[in-house]
Amino acid sequence: MADRFEDLRVFVAVVSAGGFAAGAEQLGVAKSAVSRRIRELEDRLSARLFDRTTRRVQLTGTGREFHDRAVELLKCLEEAEEAASSASCELKGRIRVAAPVSFTTYCLARAVSLFLDRHPAVTLSIDTDDRVVDLVRDGYDIAIRIGELADSSLIAQRIVTIRHVCVASPALIERLGMPQRPEDLARFPGIVYSIRDASSYWRFADNVVASVTSQIDFANGDAVREAAIAGLGVAMLPTFIASDAIRRGELCMILTKHMRPPIAMYAVHPSMRNQTARARAFIDFLVDSFGKEPLWDRDLFGDRTTEGSQTSAKNVLATSSK
């Protein structure tokens, strides 16, 4: 029976990693061992689970059905093991998390040290990807997502408020002037975050969508920020990415009175029945760590105005008003 559960773990790892070699790397074993396990599993089931080509492996219809059952069985095994060892009150095992790239870099990576100190028998595996992953198919315990959530069977718990700011470099404002309304951005070049469509990316309060001509786009928020600092255009960024550059005077907040309402960041996970105690503890930790006023927003909005958010912005405004 133990071997059969190990077969399931290997099979699920190959699916979540997208291939035999990647699955072997994830498990820390040789690719030949993974290939042998899958071959023996298919022989025992008398069914082909993967269609193999020289470039990739893809689940067959039978493989997809078997994968869903395998994930369920492994979750049940984890729950049984946790229940049996609950007397020790020690959390054990791995938590797989999918999280946005920039949020992980600036916020999450630093915060998790406290969680790991509290739970030394827990290991965290954090995959950074701004795109939406399939938690069940890819074997994640938790995904961290920003903004409106699609209807699904997944459970969502709010972590923290996320604010966006429209920003530009002092040099760009000095050259083109300080915009007063979203419509004024028509004379500015723009930098686009390509994972979002333009209608949502350039949306301001009252559902006003600015018309901005863009010559460059990135699929990463850090790259958008750096391009804005370089003066390539205006950009729309969450404050956890832009705040340090704003405080240093490298970027100015513009059109602050026209910004759309804040949105939320959520921890999304499968049904409570399939959630492990360690995953629940990690979600509680995220809420406790980030649920109050975000550190990156402190002193950013207080008494600041669009024109006074940075000394450089004041100088630009003075220059442009002459």
Side-chain angles (χ1 to χ4, degrees):
M1 183 61 72
D3 283 344
R4 290 193 175 188
F5 275 115
E6 190 59 29
D7 287 345
L8 295 183
R9 288 193 180 95
V10 171
F11 171 67
V12 169
V14 169
V15 176
S16 65
F20 283 46
E25 183 177 355
Q26 186 180 108
L27 294 168
V29 300
K31 180 184 175 183
S32 59
V34 169
S35 299
R36 177 178 54 80
R37 283 268 187 187
I38 297 299
R39 184 174 62 253
E40 292 175 353
L41 177 61
E42 290 180 320
D43 289 344
R44 190 173 72 247
L45 297 173
S46 298
R48 192 176 76 255
L49 301 175
F50 292 102
D51 285 325
R52 299 163 174 82
T53 68
T54 55
R55 292 187 177 182
R56 63 176 182 170
V57 295
Q58 186 172 357
L59 284 172
T60 62
T62 300
R64 284 192 293 273
E65 293 180 9
F66 186 74
H67 176 261
D68 293 343
R69 297 288 184 90
V71 170
E72 183 78 15
L73 283 170
L74 290 174
K75 286 289 186 183
C76 289
L77 177 62
E78 288 183 357
E79 290 171 4
E81 290 175 341
E82 284 191 356
S85 60
S86 59
S88 68
C89 298
E90 183 181 23
L91 298 179
K92 300 178 181 179
R94 186 171 70 138
I95 307 172
R96 286 199 70 205
V97 182
V101 178
S102 297
F103 181 75
T104 301
T105 302
Y106 295 110
C107 310
L108 188 58
R110 298 178 183 180
V112 296
S113 62
L114 181 58
F115 180 81
L116 295 176
D117 286 343
R118 293 175 182 171
H119 307 289
V122 169
T123 57
L124 279 172
S125 178
I126 301 176
D127 291 346
T128 53
D129 195 331
D130 288 348
R131 293 175 173 82
V132 176
V133 299
D134 187 318
L135 271 73
V136 176
R137 183 196 66 199
D138 298 332
Y140 290 103
D141 298 294
I142 303 165
I144 296 174
R145 293 178 179 167
I146 299 173
E148 296 181 3
L149 302 176
D151 292 336
S152 73
S153 61
L154 301 176
I155 309 298
Q157 184 165 346
R158 186 184 182 281
I159 299 176
V160 67
T161 296
I162 299 295
R163 294 177 174 85
H164 283 75
V165 285
C166 192
V167 294
S169 70
L172 186 67
I173 296 174
E174 182 174 6
R175 179 161 59 89
L176 298 178
M178 179 70 75
Q180 302 300 318
R181 303 174 304 158
E183 292 83 354
D184 294 342
L185 294 184
R187 70 174 187 267
F188 282 76
I191 306 165
V192 172
Y193 178 56
S194 59
I195 296 177
R196 295 281 297 276
D197 62 89
S199 62
S200 61
Y201 181 74
W202 294 115
R203 183 168 59 86
F204 288 83
D206 301 321
N207 286 320
V208 173
V209 178
S211 177
V212 184
T213 300
S214 302
Q215 286 187 294
I216 189 168
D217 62 74
F218 298 94
N220 175 267
D222 295 348
V224 172
R225 182 200 58 228
E226 293 305 303
I229 291 172
L232 296 183
V234 295
M236 193 78 72
L237 288 168
T239 51
F240 64 77
I241 295 178
S243 58
D244 285 346
I246 292 170
R247 291 187 177 96
R248 291 193 298 264
E250 296 170 331
L251 290 174
C252 302
M253 294 187 293
I254 60 177
L255 301 171
T256 54
K257 296 179 181 178
H258 299 273
M259 288 307 302
R260 57 180 181 260
I263 56 178
M265 173 181 286
Y266 299 91
V268 181
H269 55 89
S271 66
M272 295 298 292
R273 185 172 66 86
N274 294 327
Q275 191 182 41
T276 62
R278 60 183 177 272
R280 288 194 296 272
F282 187 63
I283 292 174
D284 290 341
F285 170 78
L286 293 176
V287 173
D288 290 342
S289 299
F290 300 116
K292 298 178 181 179
E293 181 187 11
L295 178 65
W296 53 86
D297 278 353
R298 291 176 188 172
D299 302 324
L300 199 61
F301 295 99
D303 296 329
R304 296 169 184 264
T305 65
T306 301
E307 295 80 3
S309 60
Q310 297 292 337
T311 302
S312 55
K314 291 179 181 178
N315 294 338
V316 166
L317 191 65
T319 301
S320 61
S321 63
K322 291 180 180 180

